[in-house]
Amino acid sequence: MLDHLRLTVRDVEEARRLYDPVMRCLGLEPVARDDDGAAWGSQEAGWLILTPASRDAAHDAGAPGLHHVAFKAASRELVDRVHELVVAAGAEVLDPPGPYDAEPDHYAVFFRDPNGLKLEVVYVDTP
């Protein structure tokens, strides 16, 4: 459904330390950029692009706009692996891996990136 997602970040290198291992774990490869940003993706999966911010302001998930971004995982084990990577990167874990929304087929981890953006990696077990 989405071709790409472009996020504005305060510090691309700081954000890259979290996003790079997580995106690689989810099967997205880094893509060269010529604008001081960072990107991962493929023609099949789409693209995640990080762009440097022009000013320093914190993200507010309660304000109109973006609430959070959810990335699809291929298995519960992959969600667990992402959790390990997030912890190793020093990111804030909001909810450790587990079922959520009273949906036993949804298994996810929620965390914040260095800019305060709420991220989710979710596996949905479909019969």
Side-chain angles (χ1 to χ4, degrees), residues 24-112:
R24 286 174 184 261
C25 183
L26 295 175
L28 299 176
E29 291 299 318
V31 178
R33 301 282 302 170
D34 60 3
D35 64 356
D36 297 326
W40 299 262
S42 70
Q43 288 295 104
E44 300 79 31
W47 311 94
L48 172 67
I49 305 162
L50 303 180
T51 300
S54 60
R55 59 187 171 88
D56 189 13
H59 176 72
D60 181 357
L66 180 70
H67 183 273
H68 77 280
V69 176
F71 297 99
K72 187 183 297 189
S75 67
R76 287 176 178 242
E77 293 77 18
L78 202 55
V79 172
D80 292 337
R81 178 65 183 133
V82 166
H83 176 249
E84 293 170 4
L85 294 169
V86 166
V87 169
E92 177 188 2
V93 176
L94 301 172
D95 292 299
Y100 76 98
D101 283 347
E103 300 283 345
D105 60 340
H106 286 65
Y107 186 80
V109 61
F110 295 85
F111 55 98
R112 290 204 191 282

